[in-house]
Amino acid sequence: YKDLLLSSISHELRTPLNAMIPMLKEAIQEQDQPRSISEKWIEPAYNSSVLLLHLVNDILDYSNLRQGKLRLNFARINIRERIEAVAQFFRIQIEKKRISFSTEISNDVPEMVNTYQDRLSQVLINLLSNAVKFTREGMISIKVERADNSNYIRLSVVDTGIGIKNEDRPKLLQAFGKIKKNEYYSLNNHGIGLGLLISNEIVRAIGSASIQFESDYGKGSTFYFDLPIVTPEERDVLSIRLDKDFETHSVLERKTPMSNFVPCSCRRVLIVDDNDYNLLVLRRMLERKQVQVLEAYNGMEALEVIKEAKTKQVQCQHGPNCHRFNLILSDLNMPIMDGWDLLQAVRRFEDQRKFMPFAIVSAYVKQEDQSVGFKLGVDDIIFKPVKEFEIDHILKKVWQNTTVTQLTL
């Protein structure tokens, strides 16, 4: 029952966090909000919510590591966009501390690479989080360059923080390992000591030796790791074998239906979730991008919305009676009809050569369910709490395609 328990706990914890984190971030950025209130109440609430999310993720990943079930997903990404998205996550904290922050990407690093997209972000977020936590002044920098092996790139996080004493170094990559308390550490005693351990295991699993670091106590530290890459020009489909205790899933092996789809100018998206707050967050993100949003509380209601859309007058390049949806964003665990059943229903009724983009948005999806989902024709899986750059990414993919889809129920 352990897997079921973890799945349930993850869903129950991440569901409210999915609403809390983006709402609090929205409140921080609200121009009419008094700055004193934001700094005193809203920003601490936002940072605490993000910390709680990282703790939940660390516990789940640690459990998966112990069971040999850590999931590694290959995908084609824009490395510069991914680095910038990670950096953006920390800009508010860094600006508040008045620390210089930069990203440096060498010209010989290819723009598009095939690599472990989510784990890349996870390791970088962990290293950056530690750098921000233990740097009071000076600078923090992300550096990306070709490694000695041309099939790898080296990612480094450099800071002018407090540094690490020699006696503390062996503890950094141990489970629940924390450095010895000192006058600065006492102000930054966050986390449960799993982040670096998990990041190091991820780096080892993807084919690098381990996370390396150099540190001068009182002057700063550099943490770095090598990431295997295959450029799109080298191979379109990548099959890689890792240690038997780890699984890989390559979305590059799947012929994505989204490649056969072009959206309407009406920019209509259907969002499906049984939680009002999650719907509110998604609607807010989409409407800021001038997207027309329709909602449903479960899969059955979503099918009814699709049917009813046929009767609504929407002017676009396909005529005044267009009833197409450019994208469906659906939660997974819902009453009456869940996300997988909705996906299968939609795929049954549409032109099999021109699939409509469909993404699952969920707090937790078991690894075996992810594989089944891609076989059923899901285009993407977005984990809650949803980040705005993830919505930007999938909308960008939708609006860059070139043919027409039609769904008639």
Side-chain angles (χ1 to χ4, degrees):
Y1 295 96
K2 184 180 291 185
D3 287 343
L4 180 60
L5 177 63
L6 283 173
S7 174
S8 300
I9 291 174
S10 175
H11 184 268
E12 294 304 318
L13 289 175
R14 292 193 195 193
T15 294
L17 285 171
N18 179 53
M20 290 168 57
I21 291 174
M23 285 180 176
L24 289 167
K25 187 173 183 179
E26 187 79 25
I28 291 172
Q29 296 173 341
E30 179 61 49
Q31 297 296 324
D32 296 333
Q33 177 71 45
R35 187 61 188 164
S36 58
I37 294 178
S38 177
E39 289 182 349
K40 187 174 182 179
W41 303 106
I42 302 177
E43 290 183 22
Y46 171 79
N47 291 331
S48 297
S49 299
V50 172
L51 174 60
L52 177 58
L53 176 64
H54 287 316
L55 294 178
V56 172
N57 290 340
D58 282 349
I59 292 170
L60 287 170
D61 279 341
Y62 183 65
S63 175
N64 287 333
L65 277 170
R66 287 171 56 86
Q67 299 176 57
K69 294 183 178 180
L70 187 67
R71 190 70 175 179
L72 300 171
N73 294 326
F74 243 101
R76 182 175 301 181
I77 64 169
N78 184 310
I79 189 69
R80 286 165 174 79
E81 289 183 358
R82 181 54 60 105
I83 296 298
E84 181 56 34
V86 171
Q88 190 64 31
F89 184 74
F90 290 92
R91 289 197 187 280
I92 293 177
Q93 295 172 265
I94 291 174
E95 289 174 1
K96 184 177 179 180
K97 298 182 78 169
R98 298 180 180 178
I99 300 170
S100 172
F101 185 44
S102 65
T103 58
E104 303 174 23
I105 302 179
S106 176
N107 291 332
D108 59 355
V109 173
E111 182 177 8
M112 301 297 297
V113 299
N114 297 329
T115 192
Y116 301 93
Q117 54 170 348
D118 296 331
R119 297 304 180 179
L120 163 62
S121 297
Q122 183 178 357
V123 175
L124 273 181
I125 285 172
N126 183 272
L127 296 182
L128 268 176
S129 178
N130 287 338
V132 173
K133 187 187 304 182
F134 293 106
T135 302
R136 287 184 287 189
E137 58 185 18
M139 70 86 185
I140 296 174
S141 178
I142 305 174
K143 296 183 178 181
V144 186
E145 58 193 343
R146 282 279 192 176
D148 295 336
N149 184 332
S150 62
N151 292 324
Y152 287 73
I153 57 174
R154 174 161 297 177
L155 297 100
S156 306
V157 174
V158 184
D159 68 64
T160 56
I162 193 170
I164 304 162
K165 292 181 178 180
N166 290 334
E167 59 265 31
D168 290 325
R169 295 186 178 210
K171 303 175 185 178
L172 288 182
L173 301 178
Q174 296 177 0
F176 309 105
K178 290 188 175 185
I179 65 174
K180 188 176 181 179
K181 290 187 176 182
N182 57 42
E183 68 283 356
Y184 185 58
Y185 172 76
S186 63
L187 301 176
N188 295 275
N189 189 15
H190 303 312
I192 53 179
L194 289 176
L196 268 179
L197 167 71
I198 293 168
S199 295
N200 193 50
E201 291 300 323
I202 290 171
V203 169
R204 290 176 58 197
I206 63 180
S208 186
S210 63
I211 292 177
Q212 305 293 319
F213 66 92
E214 301 168 359
S215 185
D216 190 352
Y217 184 68
K219 295 184 178 180
S221 305
T222 298
F223 284 78
Y224 61 92
F225 63 98
D226 293 344
L227 184 76
I229 61 168
V230 176
T231 62
E233 293 75 18
E234 291 171 324
R235 292 181 70 182
D236 286 332
V237 177
L238 180 64
S239 178
I240 220 171
R241 293 185 63 85
L242 296 176
D243 187 275
K244 64 181 181 180
D245 289 336
F246 296 91
E247 287 193 46
T248 63
H249 172 71
S250 174
V251 296
L252 302 175
E253 297 171 356
R254 178 175 53 89
K255 295 295 184 182
T256 173
M258 196 182 294
S259 62
N260 291 328
F261 174 80
V262 127
C264 302
S265 60
C266 54
R267 298 170 66 89
R268 183 187 292 178
V269 173
L270 174 61
I271 55 177
V272 191
D273 200 301
D274 60 332
N275 185 293
D276 285 316
Y277 296 120
N278 292 337
L279 289 173
L280 176 62
V281 167
L282 284 173
R283 171 180 282 277
R284 178 80 173 178
M285 290 182 178
L286 290 164
E287 287 181 342
R288 268 202 297 268
K289 305 172 197 315
Q290 289 75 53
V291 172
Q292 182 188 5
V293 180
L294 281 78
E295 299 177 354
Y297 283 98
N298 56 62
M300 191 65 71
E301 284 191 18
L303 295 178
E304 292 300 319
V305 170
I306 294 171
K307 291 179 182 178
E308 293 173 4
K310 293 174 59 178
T311 66
K312 297 184 178 181
Q313 303 290 311
V314 180
Q315 182 66 49
C316 76
Q317 77 267 28
H318 296 131
N321 297 316
C322 174
H323 56 272
R324 296 164 177 82
F325 283 94
N326 296 167
L327 173 66
I328 297 176
L329 296 171
S330 175
D331 187 25
L332 184 56
N333 299 306
M334 298 178 291
I336 305 177
M337 179 184 283
D338 66 17
W340 293 137
D341 289 338
L342 173 60
L343 170 64
Q344 293 179 78
V346 167
R347 292 292 183 243
R348 281 197 300 269
F349 286 108
E350 65 189 343
D351 184 334
Q352 296 298 304
R353 296 168 301 171
K354 303 169 183 176
F355 283 174
M356 178 189 305
F358 192 112
I360 289 291
V361 182
S362 182
Y364 180 75
V365 184
K366 291 189 294 185
Q367 57 189 37
E368 55 267 30
D369 289 342
Q370 292 183 39
S371 297
V372 172
F374 286 121
K375 290 178 182 178
L376 292 174
V378 71
D379 290 286
D380 208 347
I381 297 176
I382 301 173
F383 290 97
K384 297 176 180 177
V386 180
K387 302 173 186 65
E388 192 143 3
F389 77 82
E390 294 173 319
I391 297 298
D392 289 337
H393 179 67
I394 194 167
L395 290 179
K396 183 178 180 180
K397 287 198 294 184
V398 168
W399 268 282
Q400 282 183 344
N401 292 316
T402 56
T403 58
V404 177
T405 189
Q406 179 151 349
L407 173 62
T408 304
L409 298 179

